Amino acid sequence: MTEERVMVALADTYVHILRADDIEVITKLSATKGASSYALDASGLTPRLAVCTRKKLLFFRWAPEQGTFAFWKELVTPQEAKAIVWAGDSVCVGFRREYSLIHVSSGSTTELFPTGGGEPSCLLVPDANILLGKEHLSVFVGYDGKPSRKQALAWSELPLAVAYSFPYVLGLLSKSIEVRSMHTQNLVQAIPLTKPRFLTAKGSAVYVATTYSIFRLIPFPLPIQINELVEERLYEEAICLTEVAPGIESIKRQEQLLYIRMLYAFSLFVKGSYDAAMRLFFQLKVNPAQIISLFPDLLPMEMRLGYKYPFNMPELTGTQLDAALEALVKYLPQVRSALIRQAQSRTARAALLKFEAETGEAVLDDTLAKPASDAASPDVAGPSSGPELDPAEDTIDPSRIVLLGTLSSGSTIMFVDPADPSTVLTLFRDTKVLRQIVDTSLLKAYLKVQPSLARSLLRIDNACHVEECEDVLIKAAKFEELVLLYKSKGLHRKSLEMLRKLAKNHSTGPMSGPTPSIEYLRDLGVDHLDLILEFSVWILASHPKSALSIFTHDNEAVRSLPMDSIVAHIESHAPTVAQAYLEYVVFDRKSTSSKLHNKLAFTYLNAVVTALKAAPRAKSAGPVKVANERGTLATVRGQLLDFLRASTHYEPARILSRLAQLKLEETELYEERAVLLAGLGSHEEALIIYVYGLADHDMAVEHCNRYYDPELESHRDVYLTLLKVYLAPPETIPAQPEPAMDLLNAYSSRIDIPRALELLPPDTPLASLLPFFDAVLKSKSELYRRNLVLRNLLRSENLLVREQLIQERSRYVVIEENRMCGVCHKRILSSQSFAVYPNNVVVHYRCASKDRDVCP
Amino acid sequence: MATRKKVLLKVIILGDSGVGKTSLMNQYVNSKFSSQYKATIGADFLTKEVMVEDRLVTMQIWDTAGQERFQSLGVAFYRGADCCVLVFDVNLPKTFENLDSWRDEFLIQAGPRDPDNFPFVVLGNKIDLEDQRRISTKRAMTWCTLKGNIPYFETSAKENVEVEQAFHTIAKNALKQENDVDLGFPPPSAIKLHDPPPKQKKGCC
């Protein structure tokens, strides 16, 4: 114990306390008779001592005033304890058969595991770990008694003794001492020895006793060890040592770690562990261009030559190249998203941490970085191993590591030639260029190992270099991908030209025929209208029906196209499908453009004319109703008539004048004319056609039914008009009083009576008008009675309201001197206005709540 | 079956902002629905244990923010996914037209072994708003067929329509993917180390 300047020793089955200066015995702890081992813990404020005797554990505490240990407690053990160490508030005890953890103050015992036959051994190591011997293994156990590492340290044979000297665990074997790294557990050194007996370590020095001699082993300063490890390419060990080595400035340590890790990453690549190498490259933020340069054919030669590597990097070929490319296509997307990433969302990170905690699987980037707190543990803080020479300063050559311009995710580091770094540096200062290199290389790599993902990359927002990729894709005859490339770069003309060429040159395959072009064109939208018009011409000419979907597909782009330009375009290049497009415009898109409605009407009309020419009527046939048509004429006239009736957006006058130009028989298309005339408001002419041209009274009445609307001036008198047509026909045609009477009787309510009576010829027999007058009188008196009832109802309602008013007016409240406001509980003065709620609560007017019906 | 070990399936839900990814997950895992919209920030996951073909599997469903496409999430989210669920809103054509991008981004980031056969499932959500519907079943089915017969479900997280069925299929397909990967045998007769030597005529003249 340094502070107390005393030593504790076990001799002659007693524990002795000695003065450190002259090694004189101060006391012999007489209670410790038969002691076989002891454990001293001087780390706390009060040093503690635990001693094993045959059947007991004895505990002592330092008593400074007496300058010795004073007895504290004893615990009885079932068998003799062979080894003991302190573990926090407990002691870990090795019995012959098993290890136990014994809590000192409560005495409760937890059995850990059997010793496995060998002598039990307990050794304290840093980070609250105990190493317990079990056959040829040393198991790491925490102070809670639970194994703290998955893997136990395995010696070549059963060790006689183990000792800890930062940062190594030493094992004394029958013919040698094995030195193993505490962190990686790898064998670092084996020192041959004959007949070794004991092993112990204090600070950095290790003492070994053989039968005849005692050795002191002193470790090389850590920086030298690190250098040697790096030279021997034992990078994992070197990284561990660098992480824990004391006395290195934090920045220097980081730089050195970076350097060794970089070497490690490249060495992994050389060994063919491509995935591991790439993971490390990503963590170290190595310039991706330098990694890409390791592959043949990905970067242009002049770019590849700019890089220097720590080793002779192999030229990748064959299966090795494939394996490396597989790793590359996993690495580059990571770089890609890191470059795109603006700022890593905090919660995204939190979710990942949750995932790590729940699954124990490391997904975050900093998997290799161990907490640097190892180095700060008190065991190693001693001045004993202070290196005088620090070669760490020489291991990192700042000129070989150049920090590139800051990327959004951090900085990129690359190896460059110190003689002339300018060329490469200026190239990548811009992350845009880096993105371009990454995406272009990713595409090339995909083409080699995962061709189907090439399309995915080209479809999304990418930074592929056009000419480079174009070159590769053309060489590989990947036209589908080439089109996607052009599309993603907005080079639509190039795409479309190629698609047209491919469609003509290929008779089969995915790029043959007009479909690829059609699918391409319908995604372009109004911004590229000129291209759509230009490149739809050949498709409209060769595949008019399929071409229509360029203009009718159901997506935003197609909906943005101006429909009248498209109509003109289709009319001039594929008139056969113009009607289909117009129908789409009118019926599907519900266009209200009268121009387009007129066009559709003309189209239907033309179809009728064509059909008429194909099947000319006999001269004497007279007018034919649509319902009586047969064959094509039935269809086309039906279409025309339905459209004329349904649409309200065409201009009837224009259609009529077109009809006039056609110089058809006067009796031809009577029904259509009637609809058009009605559209113009000439119901009289329309009805004349029904009554006299077609001699169909039902149709005439139907017409009235369709158009009658008491709200519209033009349609209000349509029945009256029909009556007029019957009773006062144009000259040379005899009047038809009978249907007129029927109409009057059937629709009396929709006809203006005085005007109708005026129209009646004077010789009309009154008897025939009897039903008419009957109906008129009945309906008039009905109206009169209904109004009477309404009037009386309203009057009684009026009386009710008046009564209520009188009641409300007669209601009063008394405001006396002690009448308080219900809200502020102050008196209501006569000068103040007040409010009364329905339940007679009175408040100040200003205190009243907004809702006048709810008492506060 | 020799392996009866516990299976963990990683399922990722992708789609535009506001299509109902979080609602679908909540309806399936917690049987809850809230019509209040709250944008997911970053990502989160819920787990649910389900029986799939007599096997107990733990589904770990990752819900992502639709607003920022992948940028803030990074590869770690997508690696090791067993199934990817693409969600769109049947009432918003844009969300359907973006499915392609979501699928492509996922494939690139996740880098599955066999991108052409990776299990996706497409969900057309919000069918409860039938009168506003813009994407027909036929149109959605056509896209799914084109992309390699992706199973398609029309769901309503609000009224719990088809949610259970959809996720059952998701679990089933994810499990299939997991099993396929477990095998990990190289294709037979990929490399012949010992080609039978051509028989030589032994002349004896």
Side-chain angles (χ1 to χ4, degrees), chain A residues 128-387:
Chain A
N129 272 323
I130 309 165
L131 264 185
L132 299 178
K134 184 186 181 184
E135 293 164 10
H136 71 290
L137 301 174
S138 285
V139 183
F140 287 88
V141 174
Y143 284 178
D144 54 358
K146 293 192 178 106
S148 55
R149 289 196 195 180
K150 279 182 188 162
Q151 202 92 38
L153 205 150
W155 304 98
S156 312
E157 55 180 278
L158 186 76
L160 297 169
V162 287
Y164 173 77
S165 173
F166 168 79
Y168 301 109
V169 184
L170 296 94
L172 190 65
L173 309 186
S174 61
K175 286 187 177 122
S176 65
I177 298 174
E178 278 190 358
V179 181
R180 284 176 183 273
S181 158
M182 166 83 181
H183 299 277
T184 61
Q185 299 178 202
N186 288 339
L187 180 63
V188 179
Q189 196 183 9
I191 305 160
L193 268 183
T194 44
K195 297 195 179 168
R197 300 286 301 276
F198 301 109
L199 171 74
T200 187
K202 177 69 190 167
S204 66
V206 177
Y207 300 91
V208 195
T210 67
T211 320
Y212 303 109
S213 25
I214 292 175
F215 295 93
R216 187 163 84 139
L217 308 179
I218 303 171
F220 280 103
L222 287 181
I224 295 178
Q225 292 189 34
I226 293 169
N227 273 3
E228 270 180 22
L229 287 169
V230 169
E231 260 162 48
E232 285 169 43
R233 302 200 173 181
L234 296 168
Y235 299 115
E236 280 175 282
E237 293 298 333
I239 290 167
C240 271
L241 272 196
T242 313
E243 277 171 349
V244 297
I248 308 179
E249 252 181 88
S250 153
I251 292 175
K252 189 151 282 173
R253 190 196 302 278
Q254 291 310 318
E255 274 181 11
Q256 193 172 353
L257 270 176
L258 207 59
Y259 174 64
I260 303 173
R261 279 192 183 167
M262 191 93 69
L263 292 175
Y264 179 44
F266 280 104
S267 78
L268 283 171
F269 193 89
V270 173
K271 274 194 283 182
S273 308
Y274 302 113
D275 278 319
M278 297 283 185
R279 267 200 298 278
L280 211 48
F281 286 143
F282 182 69
Q283 282 165 15
L284 295 173
K285 304 187 176 101
V286 174
N287 181 355
Q290 186 174 14
I291 308 308
I292 297 165
S293 291
L294 291 167
F295 292 80
D297 307 331
L298 291 186
L299 274 187
M301 217 28 173
E302 64 274 16
M303 279 197 190
R304 290 185 68 192
L305 292 175
Y307 300 101
K308 290 278 179 285
Y309 296 93
F311 312 113
N312 269 336
M313 301 307 282
E315 275 292 318
L316 295 169
T317 49
T319 51
Q320 271 195 323
L321 175 59
D322 285 347
L325 281 168
E326 293 275 2
L328 187 71
V329 298
K330 284 185 203 147
Y331 161 76
L332 287 180
Q334 268 180 295
V335 177
R336 196 177 179 274
S337 62
L339 285 172
I340 296 169
R341 195 178 324 179
Q342 295 305 318
Q344 191 163 23
S345 153
R346 267 193 200 172
T347 54
R349 215 178 147 75
L352 278 178
L353 285 171
K354 183 174 154 197
F355 174 74
E356 283 191 342
E358 282 199 22
T359 60
E361 210 179 305
V363 290
L364 281 170
D365 297 343
D366 37 12
T367 37
L368 210 94
K370 284 183 192 136
S373 60
D374 286 18
S377 68
D379 298 55
V380 295
S384 48
S385 58

Side-chain angles (χ1 to χ4, degrees), chain B residues 1-93:
Chain B
M1 279 273 265
T3 52
R4 281 278 156 187
K5 58 170 185 171
K6 210 172 159 195
V7 193
L8 180 79
L9 299 177
K10 186 171 173 184
V11 174
I12 288 170
I13 309 184
L14 299 177
D16 278 6
S17 159
V19 297
K21 299 178 290 298
T22 308
S23 297
L24 280 165
M25 179 172 84
N26 266 331
Q27 177 61 267
Y28 178 61
V29 178
N30 304 325
S31 306
K32 275 181 195 156
F33 178 82
S34 158
S35 52
Q36 236 169 14
Y37 176 67
K38 218 174 101 198
T40 306
I41 301 163
D44 197 2
F45 69 86
L46 293 177
T47 51
K48 177 164 172 139
E49 298 211 324
V50 281
M51 289 296 290
V52 183
E53 289 160 357
D54 305 335
R55 288 184 77 178
L56 183 68
V57 299
T58 307
M59 274 230 267
Q60 186 182 66
I61 307 168
W62 283 77
D63 177 29
T64 56
Q67 282 163 338
E68 31 200 336
R69 188 165 304 163
F70 288 84
Q71 274 87 329
S72 69
L73 301 175
V75 172
F77 276 94
Y78 306 99
R79 281 278 152 85
D82 298 296
C83 184
C84 175
V85 184
L86 302 172
V87 187
F88 71 96
D89 179 345
V90 295
N91 312 300
L92 292 172

Side-chain angles (χ1 to χ4, degrees), chain A residues 290-518:
Chain A
Q290 186 174 14
I291 308 308
I292 297 165
S293 291
L294 291 167
F295 292 80
D297 307 331
L298 291 186
L299 274 187
M301 217 28 173
E302 64 274 16
M303 279 197 190
R304 290 185 68 192
L305 292 175
Y307 300 101
K308 290 278 179 285
Y309 296 93
F311 312 113
N312 269 336
M313 301 307 282
E315 275 292 318
L316 295 169
T317 49
T319 51
Q320 271 195 323
L321 175 59
D322 285 347
L325 281 168
E326 293 275 2
L328 187 71
V329 298
K330 284 185 203 147
Y331 161 76
L332 287 180
Q334 268 180 295
V335 177
R336 196 177 179 274
S337 62
L339 285 172
I340 296 169
R341 195 178 324 179
Q342 295 305 318
Q344 191 163 23
S345 153
R346 267 193 200 172
T347 54
R349 215 178 147 75
L352 278 178
L353 285 171
K354 183 174 154 197
F355 174 74
E356 283 191 342
E358 282 199 22
T359 60
E361 210 179 305
V363 290
L364 281 170
D365 297 343
D366 37 12
T367 37
L368 210 94
K370 284 183 192 136
S373 60
D374 286 18
S377 68
D379 298 55
V380 295
S384 48
S385 58
E388 282 168 21
L389 175 134
D390 189 4
E393 283 196 304
D394 299 325
T395 47
I396 198 151
D397 178 0
S399 68
R400 282 159 72 188
I401 292 183
V402 175
L403 292 172
L404 270 182
T406 316
L407 298 182
S408 52
S409 55
S411 51
T412 293
I413 298 149
M414 58 188 288
F415 286 82
V416 288
D417 186 359
D420 181 24
S422 55
T423 44
V424 188
L425 270 176
T426 45
L427 234 114
F428 303 124
R429 188 144 291 159
D430 196 352
T431 54
K432 263 190 196 164
V433 183
L434 202 53
R435 273 202 68 190
Q436 201 168 54
I437 289 175
V438 168
D439 280 6
T440 309
S441 305
L442 183 58
L443 180 76
K444 290 180 182 176
Y446 275 151
L447 287 175
K448 288 178 196 207
V449 290
Q450 280 204 312
S452 65
L453 285 185
R455 262 172 261 165
S456 289
L457 177 63
L458 289 168
R459 267 193 297 255
I460 60 174
D461 184 23
N462 65 70
C464 289
H465 188 271
V466 180
E467 286 79 19
E468 276 280 314
C469 295
E470 193 177 23
D471 226 38
V472 179
L473 291 171
I474 290 175
K475 273 188 194 136
K478 296 273 184 189
F479 299 114
E480 220 174 321
E481 284 78 2
L482 193 54
V483 170
L484 289 172
L485 172 73
Y486 290 147
K487 190 175 186 178
S488 74
K489 300 291 159 197
L491 300 168
H492 302 304
R493 178 167 293 278
K494 270 190 143 171
S495 289
L496 290 163
E497 270 163 5
M498 202 180 63
L499 283 171
R500 183 165 59 186
K501 218 166 79 194
L502 287 170
K504 290 193 174 144
N505 298 347
H506 291 62
S507 51
T508 53
M511 304 306 280
S512 65
T515 316
S517 285
I518 291 171

Side-chain angles (χ1 to χ4, degrees), chain A residues 672-832:
Chain A
E672 290 83 344
R673 282 175 214 261
V675 175
L676 290 168
L677 288 166
L680 282 177
S682 317
H683 291 289
E684 189 170 348
E685 283 178 78
L687 290 167
I688 288 173
I689 289 178
Y690 291 124
V691 175
Y692 301 106
L694 293 166
D696 191 322
H697 301 303
D698 291 342
M699 276 176 124
V701 173
E702 203 184 300
H703 177 96
C704 295
N705 290 345
R706 185 175 295 132
Y707 286 98
Y708 174 73
D709 185 346
E711 308 295 324
L712 276 179
E713 176 141 19
S714 55
H715 295 348
R716 190 184 298 150
D717 294 328
V718 62
Y719 288 98
L720 193 71
T721 312
L722 180 56
L723 198 66
K724 200 171 137 200
V725 167
Y726 281 135
L727 296 176
E731 290 154 39
T732 74
I733 301 174
Q736 301 204 14
E738 270 162 48
M741 292 307 124
D742 292 344
L743 186 75
L744 261 181
N745 293 337
Y747 296 96
S748 54
S749 60
R750 294 179 174 186
I751 298 174
D752 187 7
I753 311 300
R755 282 165 73 194
L757 290 178
E758 266 172 39
L759 282 174
L760 286 175
D763 56 348
T764 313
L766 269 177
S768 65
L769 286 174
L770 195 60
F772 169 67
F773 285 124
D774 193 35
V776 168
L777 285 173
K778 263 184 195 157
S779 81
K780 290 288 173 208
S781 57
E782 187 193 328
L783 191 67
Y784 169 74
R785 280 190 209 107
R786 192 186 298 148
N787 287 340
L788 211 59
V789 170
L790 201 62
R791 193 186 72 163
N792 286 327
L793 283 173
L794 288 172
R795 180 185 284 168
S796 74
E797 195 184 338
N798 181 278
L799 286 174
L800 275 175
V801 172
R802 275 191 197 193
E803 189 193 344
Q804 225 174 337
L805 178 70
I806 292 163
Q807 266 174 16
E808 288 296 324
R809 278 190 176 158
S810 62
R811 202 175 136 226
Y812 62 94
V813 284
V814 182
I815 309 284
E816 306 152 327
E817 223 172 301
N818 52 0
R819 183 94 196 204
M820 300 298 178
C821 164
V823 175
C824 66
H825 302 293
K826 283 186 185 149
R827 216 178 288 161
I828 296 171
L829 304 174
S830 60
S831 60
Q832 289 169 323

